[in-house]
Amino acid sequence: MGYEILEHTADVKFKASGDSMEEAFSESVKAFSEIVGGMNGQTTYSIEVESESHEALLFDFMDKLIFLQDVNDVVLSHAEHLEIEELEKGYRLRADIWADNIEDSMSVLDVKGPTYSEMYVRFEDGKWRLQVVLDI
Amino acid sequence: MASSGSARHINVKRVHSQSFSMELNKISDNIYEIPQEGQMKKPARVYANEKLLNEIKGDDTLEQIKNVATLPGLEKYSIVMPDGHQGYGFPIGGVAAVNKEQGVISPGGIGYDINCGIRVLKTDLSYEEVRGKEQQLANILYNKIPCGLGKGGYIDTDRDDLEEILEKGAEWMLENGHAKESDIKRCEENGRLPGNPEKISEDAKKRGRNQVGSLGSGNHFLEIQRVGEIYNEEKAEAYGLEEDQVVVMIHSGSRGLGHQTCTNYLRKFEKEYPEIVDKIPDKELIYAPMQDDLAQDYKEAMYAAANYAWANRQAITQGVRECLDRIFDESVETELLYDVCHNIAKEETHEVDGEEKELLVHRKGATRAMPAGRPEVPEVYRDVGQPVLIPGSMGTASYILSGGQKSLEISFGSTAHGAGRLMSRSQAKQDYWGEDVQDELKRDQIFVKAASGSTIAEEAPGVYKDIDEVIKVSDALGIGNKVAKMRPVVNIKG
């Protein structure tokens, strides 16, 4: 369980892992938060994402996190109660995302979008592992 | 891989990287070509000198221009410019012209930041008049122009305004008192493309609501510069530039609204065309055939996002004007030199094998560079050629070129867009301290203000390619010719 920020020439890349897919996805929020300059989390937002595959779910999840920051003027902190449910066609993710308001003195990185570049979500060596490149 | 020899290929080199080797033929100085093979519809070209080519070989750029060459309806060849580096699907610095009827449109060929671009505002100030006021200028610009995330926009816009901005772009700014008539006339496309606000999602509109007149972060910046060397007196005069004149360069795009639009259509295309996803080498290269409704929807959405970007850069311009008025007691005259996109697809007519063709020219991290006489060049510059605005990195020179005659022949009227990154942000933070970089630049009379030291470290001059080399190639190829060089004075970033 954990995450790691990786080298990328133009943008940012990270990987995350966990005993369950839920845990790996939760870790990805911590990685995201470290990249943008997040804090402890004062308020929560409930989100829901539905997608056709594991990778599409991760892509849409990242998209949702970026959207959440942009429209609420907040910086993300971490996820709680993250659940992934298998549907007839695809997956549904629900989570509570903790965030803080952006103050004038704060410097928050503006993320443009998620990418499919080098993305994976897989079960390997007894753990769920994922990797994301974000366009900044 | 098979070699396809031709009499014109004067030198055959093989490039080896971690995962592939490929044939790369030197066509002439600064022009290299990967011959057509496999799924490629046309060859792929690299415009670079040996030094830049070696840097380009360091990542997947060459593989990516080969992938771009597989696009249906591609004309002549896929191209990467001298500042090229690896991107998503397309390389940054990529140009792909496809047939407007039989071709395809690819969001990856335009980029997440639709109509990311550069504008240069001329002033009647000389460098002498600015000296001693640099820190004051850095402070006021940084306070007035929102940078980074969550700081709002320079002008207030409600939902109705946003709809109109998406439709009218810079024209809305003029109608609402945020622009001068000459700002619009000196903007690519007069700051307005036929965009359709209805093709932009609600989510994208929510992201765009409060960001008109904001720089964003990453490599976006606002820079006060002084004109250094003039290379072409006649063109500099036509552009209204002289040595030691102070100008302002603005680098920003369509902000969250444009980014969300790209993301939305990538996913729409992915869901609509599973058979295309299966055959393309990289999902980010996803495209839609031009005759399909979805392709037209994306085109209209992309144009609407482009309109937003023009309104954004215009709003920042108004912010700059307010700051200059405050510091110099309303005595400064400003006039837009030009505003040019470097992430966009445009419908243009080009001659291909002696035949006039209607094309869709994707430019991703490449700048339009039309020579004198072309209808796309604003009337005031039609006899000298379109101004081409190329930023350097923080602390290094930027350039103004003019569209070169050769650009129509070899690059669909395009040239480079900047210096291009060489080093990752995390490596940059290990190699540089923001404060040291800032102090060093200050010793050279360059004042930098950013949200944090790490922003400065990430954008340190050493993490980019040598802009002088990039410009040398553009000039030598005759696709964009040197007019003037500008040196940074004050730089602010998100």
Side-chain angles (χ1 to χ4, degrees):
Chain A
M1 176 171 138
Y3 68 86
E4 193 185 339
I5 314 286
L6 305 164
E7 291 284 309
H8 192 281
T9 308
D11 291 304
V12 294
K13 178 159 92 175
F14 66 85
K15 60 183 181 182
S17 61
D19 291 333
S20 62
M21 208 195 318
E22 284 82 354
E23 217 173 84
F25 271 66
S26 293
E27 287 298 314
S28 74
V29 183
K30 288 189 199 162
F32 185 102
S33 176
E34 183 177 325
I35 287 163
V36 295
M39 300 187 302
N40 302 330
Q42 297 285 324
T43 40
T44 59
Y45 296 85
S46 294
I47 61 159
E48 189 178 312
V49 183
E50 241 183 78
S51 314
E52 68 275 22
S53 67
H54 285 156
E55 287 188 358
L57 188 71
L58 182 56
F59 186 98
D60 291 341
F61 181 49
M62 289 294 132
D63 182 32
K64 190 66 126 184
L65 298 183
I66 295 162
F67 176 77
L68 198 64
Q69 291 205 139
D70 239 28
V71 301
N72 297 296
D73 292 339
V74 294
V75 54
L76 303 190
S77 167
H78 61 282
E80 254 181 24
H81 311 121
L82 190 146
E83 288 166 17
I84 297 172
E85 183 188 346
E86 191 162 356
L87 308 172
E88 206 173 304
K89 275 186 177 174
Y91 303 86
R92 180 190 295 134
L93 180 155
R94 286 198 180 99
D96 294 333
I97 306 292
W98 286 85
D100 296 279
N101 289 330
I102 298 173
E103 307 294 338
D104 269 353
S105 58
M106 285 165 66
S107 148
V108 179
L109 182 74
D110 195 3
V111 182
K112 288 178 183 163
T115 76
Y116 274 121
S117 170
E118 301 178 62
M119 179 184 275
Y120 61 76
V121 180
R122 60 187 176 223
F123 188 76
E124 198 178 73
D125 300 333
K127 279 192 189 303
W128 278 94
R129 298 170 195 276
L130 59 84
Q131 180 168 284
V132 177
V133 174
L134 297 172
D135 188 353
I136 59 168
Chain B
M1 284 173 196
S3 142
S4 68
S6 139
R8 290 194 305 145
H9 298 166
I10 53 174
N11 185 11
V12 175
K13 291 184 176 183
R14 281 183 183 276
V15 181
H16 294 281
S17 90
Q18 290 168 335
S19 57
F20 64 95
S21 70
M22 66 174 72
E23 191 181 337
L24 186 66
N25 301 321
K26 185 169 181 178
I27 303 284
S28 65
D29 278 352
N30 300 314
I31 302 182
Y32 296 83
E33 189 169 286
I34 302 167
Q36 184 184 345
E37 53 128 49
Q39 304 289 311
M40 291 165 76
K41 304 281 191 297
K42 300 281 176 187
R45 281 191 164 195
V46 185
Y47 293 150
N49 59 20
E50 287 212 7
K51 182 178 176 223
L52 292 167
L53 181 65
N54 277 328
E55 287 170 359
I56 286 170
K57 285 178 189 172
D59 61 26
D60 283 342
T61 306
L62 297 180
E63 193 64 18
Q64 289 189 328
I65 54 166
K66 278 182 72 179
N67 292 344
V68 173
T70 66
L71 290 182
L74 183 81
E75 299 282 1
K76 282 166 95 167
Y77 27 68
S78 78
I79 305 169
V80 67
M81 291 296 164
D83 53 338
H85 61 94
Q86 187 181 331
Y88 305 113
F90 274 63
I92 314 296
V95 175
V98 297
N99 192 289
K100 208 174 126 184
E101 303 298 324
Q102 289 99 46
V104 296
I105 190 165
S106 171
I110 289 153
Y112 282 84
D113 197 359
I114 296 165
N115 188 4
C116 185
I118 301 284
R119 67 165 49 193
V120 170
L121 187 68
K122 295 181 289 179
T123 77
D124 61 353
L125 290 167
S126 70
Y127 179 53
E128 274 312 304
E129 291 170 277
V130 166
R131 286 204 72 170
K133 291 186 167 143
E134 295 99 330
Q135 195 60 55
Q136 212 181 338
L137 276 163
N139 293 344
I140 191 169
L141 286 167
Y142 189 80
N143 287 329
K144 281 280 165 195
I145 315 284
C147 307
L149 186 66
K151 306 287 165 68
Y154 180 73
I155 63 166
D156 290 325
T157 45
D158 62 22
R159 184 51 200 261
D160 292 341
D161 296 335
L162 183 61
E163 294 289 333
E164 286 197 50
I165 286 170
L166 292 172
E167 193 187 330
K168 296 180 177 174
E171 220 171 281
W172 184 88
M173 298 295 284
L174 181 65
E175 285 171 6
N176 287 272
H178 304 300
K180 299 201 273 191
E181 188 89 39
S182 66
D183 293 342
I184 310 299
K185 288 195 173 142
R186 289 159 182 242
C187 200
E188 182 167 338
E189 305 292 344
N190 295 322
R192 179 180 182 169
L193 279 163
N196 183 351
E198 285 173 21
K199 305 300 180 189
I200 301 268
S201 72
E202 277 308 304
D203 280 359
K205 285 174 184 169
K206 281 182 190 160
R207 284 179 72 178
R209 182 183 43 88
N210 198 20
Q211 295 184 335
V212 181
S214 63
L215 272 179
S217 49
N219 59 358
H220 291 167
F221 66 81
L222 190 163
E223 193 166 86
I224 295 186
Q225 304 170 336
R226 64 182 165 118
V227 178
E229 292 91 324
I230 300 272
Y231 303 103
N232 184 320
E233 290 288 348
E234 184 207 336
K235 291 193 180 191
E237 201 188 324
Y239 292 167
L241 295 170
E242 58 184 31
E243 218 175 311
D244 262 341
Q245 180 183 1
V246 169
V247 300
V248 184
M249 183 176 266
I250 296 162
H251 180 196
S252 189
S254 49
R255 312 287 291 107
L257 179 134
H259 312 157
Q260 192 67 47
T261 300
C262 177
T263 304
N264 289 153
Y265 280 89
L266 271 175
R267 291 285 284 130
K268 279 188 187 194
F269 284 18
E270 183 193 356
K271 287 177 190 169
E272 182 74 18
Y273 303 109
E275 71 290 352
I276 297 178
V277 173
D278 282 346
K279 71 177 178 197
I280 50 177
D282 178 348
K283 227 189 237 181
E284 297 271 335
L285 204 65
I286 186 76
Y287 54 77
M290 281 303 280
Q291 5 15 340
D292 287 11
D293 288 346
L294 196 49
Q296 296 302 318
D297 286 353
Y298 171 62
K299 190 181 79 181
E300 288 174 17
M302 184 258 296
Y303 283 167
N307 289 342
Y308 183 97
W310 277 311
N312 181 39
R313 288 197 288 275
Q314 180 61 38
I316 295 169
T317 305
Q318 293 300 89
V320 169
R321 285 179 170 144
E322 189 197 329
C323 294
L324 291 175
D325 277 347
R326 286 222 193 164
I327 302 273
F328 296 97
D329 299 326
E330 302 190 10
S331 61
V332 185
E333 288 292 325
T334 58
E335 187 176 53
L336 191 69
L337 168 66
Y338 196 54
D339 178 307
V340 68
C341 341
H342 55 225
N343 276 7
I344 194 124
K346 301 291 279 287
E347 292 156 280
E348 295 171 4
T349 309
H350 287 270
E351 198 182 300
V352 181
D353 303 327
E355 193 189 332
E356 291 279 304
K357 285 191 174 177
E358 297 291 317
L359 307 178
L360 183 74
V361 184
H362 293 75
R363 296 190 182 93
K364 184 190 187 178
T367 313
R368 183 144 94 170
M370 292 292 185
R374 280 284 295 206
E376 292 90 347
V377 183
E379 224 173 291
V380 286
Y381 305 129
R382 203 157 297 159
D383 294 340
V384 283
Q386 176 216 310
V388 179
L389 318 172
I390 306 202
S393 57
M394 180 182 73
T396 63
S398 294
Y399 285 85
I400 289 173
L401 315 180
S402 73
Q405 285 299 335
K406 278 291 243 188
S407 75
L408 292 179
E409 194 186 314
I410 68 169
S411 63
F412 297 101
S414 320
T415 188
H417 87 306
R421 271 194 95 86
L422 269 179
M423 190 191 286
S424 74
R425 289 166 204 276
S426 40
Q427 185 65 43
K429 280 186 275 193
Q430 282 171 28
D431 287 11
Y432 299 100
W433 284 103
E435 228 170 277
D436 291 348
V437 175
Q438 200 169 11
D439 288 347
E440 209 168 295
L441 289 170
K442 210 168 184 172
R443 277 197 288 276
D444 292 335
Q445 301 300 316
I446 301 165
F447 293 72
V448 179
K449 195 167 171 78
S452 67
S454 62
T455 304
I456 297 174
E458 285 175 19
E459 296 291 319
V463 311
Y464 283 91
K465 291 183 185 184
D466 187 347
I467 183 82
D468 296 336
E469 291 290 323
V470 171
I471 300 299
K472 225 188 273 174
V473 172
S474 171
D475 193 65
L477 284 170
I479 55 178
N481 297 114
K482 288 197 288 188
V483 175
K485 184 176 191 168
M486 281 101 70
R487 301 187 180 282
V489 178
V490 171
N491 179 299
I492 70 160
K493 355 189 21 90

